[in-house]
Amino acid sequence: MTGPKAVSHSSRPVDVVVIGGGQAGLAAGYYLRRARADFVILDARDEPGGAWRHAWPSLRLFSPAPYSSLPGRMMPVPEGGGYPSAADAVAYLADYEQRYELPIIRPVRVSAVRDGGEWLAVETGTGTWHARIVVSATGTWGGAYVPYYPGIGDFRGQQLHTANYTGPEPLRGQRVVIVGGGNSAAQILAEVSTVADTTWATLRPPRLLSDDIDGRALFDLATRRARFADAPGIGDLGDIVAVPAVREARNRGALKAEPMFTRLTPDGVAWADGTTLACDTIIWCTGFRPVLSHLAPLKLRGPDGVIPTEGTRALGEARLHLLGYGDWTGPASATLIGAARTARTTVSGVMGQLAF
């Protein structure tokens, strides 16, 4: 439990159950608290901080603190300025939930959400909650995605994903292939290349944003894209924010990318032209998928694997909202600032539903 007024577990009916106590769940909690809703937040993790608690230590947010904040409380600027770290985000979220006395219960893992007639039944390992509205905010960190390539099961070296990368030191002196053209890949490459022989493999040539552009511009573009179909996408500017570590790696020539390999071998990777490369470790910086297994009993997923929504409200179940999973549930809603802005609209809609 967190906060001086954190609640005890109960199976009593409530107006709203929020599933997930990370940034999206806390943003929803802030607005639900302001609206004086009867709600609870169920969080599967043992401690505050959401997915940020599991990020590698040197990870940097790609927006300054004032643009990486939840509603009501600005994220403190890190000592010395610059971009906040994962640890800064954890400390901020822990303080946030205490400051607003959000009713969080942890650890509580939700196994299923079912149609219970008048209520939605939220099943956990310690009992079932009944809610008029459910806001699912479980995020994507638990859905690490590794694409299939021929030979992936034959590689005898180590395979990591962004989700379980812990830092460069265990890779010192190795030959490392880093896969992916986004911010995580660039930040991980920047530090691994200082201790290991690295190769960067991407599906298309990665492009760094200019040094004066950061996550604020990316959020604005995502918002415009959601409103206007012909608005430019993020890729029209570039893909990767030039945080200090990435700039340093760029300046020493470490950000040279190779085309994507076509298969893995027992000793490394191989390209279509027959070129091979031996390596000790492959790091897949290939993204995440939304964690939605708890919603499977509602049978709402579309052919693309996500749940069709209007805004954040599920089209097939009006009592369910999905918050913080990415652009399909709100512009840049998987970011701190995006989750904050989407949560406001979501809770406004939820309170409207509760009024009937």
Side-chain angles (χ1 to χ4, degrees):
M1 296 184 196
T2 60
K5 294 186 179 179
V7 300
S8 301
H9 184 73
S10 165
S11 58
R12 69 180 177 85
V14 293
D15 283 340
V16 184
V17 167
V18 178
I19 306 173
Q23 59 196 34
L26 298 188
Y30 172 86
Y31 287 113
L32 287 166
R33 173 70 86 194
R34 284 185 57 182
R36 301 184 182 277
D38 177 23
F39 75 101
V40 67
I41 300 173
L42 306 180
D43 188 26
R45 293 183 168 88
D46 294 324
E47 299 177 280
W52 294 105
R53 184 168 290 279
H54 306 287
W56 68 96
S58 65
L59 173 65
R60 289 293 180 270
L61 281 65
F62 49 81
S63 293
Y67 298 90
S68 300
S69 300
L70 295 183
R73 169 127 174 96
M74 196 74 70
M75 180 183 287
V77 175
E79 185 176 350
Y83 295 81
S85 68
D88 292 327
V90 169
Y92 169 69
L93 294 179
D95 173 76
Y96 188 91
E97 63 181 57
Q98 291 181 351
R99 175 176 293 266
Y100 293 109
E101 299 180 344
L102 298 179
I104 300 174
I105 306 175
R106 61 166 61 94
V108 177
R109 183 171 295 277
V110 173
S111 57
V113 178
R114 302 183 190 275
D115 184 352
E118 181 182 357
W119 306 84
L120 287 175
V122 181
E123 298 177 0
T124 78
T126 54
T128 299
W129 290 80
H130 295 85
R132 294 176 62 190
I133 303 288
V134 168
V135 177
S136 183
T138 50
T140 62
W141 191 264
Y145 171 70
V146 175
Y148 173 78
Y149 280 87
I152 194 168
D154 300 326
F155 178 61
R156 292 190 291 249
Q158 174 180 222
Q159 296 189 60
L160 301 174
H161 186 273
T162 308
N164 55 16
Y165 169 77
T166 59
E169 197 55 38
L171 305 174
R172 181 173 292 276
Q174 292 190 17
R175 297 163 297 178
V176 180
V177 173
I178 296 170
V179 181
N183 284 285
S184 294
Q187 289 195 31
I188 290 174
L189 174 68
E191 64 179 17
V192 172
S193 61
T194 65
V195 301
D197 180 4
T198 55
T199 299
W200 192 11
T202 63
L203 286 172
R204 59 186 178 86
R207 293 185 297 165
L208 267 67
L209 292 158
S210 64
D211 290 0
D212 61 338
I213 297 178
D214 55 31
R216 291 169 290 184
L218 301 186
F219 177 79
D220 290 342
L221 273 179
T223 302
R224 289 175 58 198
R225 192 69 173 172
R227 292 177 179 172
F228 307 105
D230 59 348
I234 290 172
D236 296 315
L237 284 181
D239 310 295
I240 297 166
V241 176
V243 298
V246 170
R247 295 180 197 176
E248 187 276 331
R250 175 198 63 196
N251 293 342
R252 59 181 163 84
L255 296 186
K256 181 179 181 296
E258 301 293 340
M260 190 61 198
F261 52 80
T262 55
R263 62 186 175 91
L264 282 72
T265 69
D267 300 316
V269 297
W271 283 264
D273 64 1
T275 302
T276 62
L277 176 72
C279 64
D280 304 294
T281 296
I282 298 173
I283 305 176
W284 298 94
C285 302
T286 44
F288 299 83
R289 296 294 183 265
V291 178
L292 301 174
S293 59
H294 57 294
L295 302 177
L298 298 176
K299 298 180 179 179
L300 299 172
R301 283 208 193 201
D304 57 357
V306 301
I307 295 174
T309 59
E310 181 179 7
T312 63
R313 187 173 177 177
L315 289 177
E317 173 50 82
R319 297 170 294 178
L320 172 67
H321 289 258
L322 296 106
L323 180 63
Y325 294 98
D327 288 345
W328 63 282
T329 57
S333 69
T335 67
L336 280 155
I337 189 172
R341 296 188 183 182
T342 306
R344 181 175 185 174
T345 303
T346 296
V347 171
S348 177
V350 165
M351 298 310 297
Q353 289 175 258
L354 293 175
F356 289 96

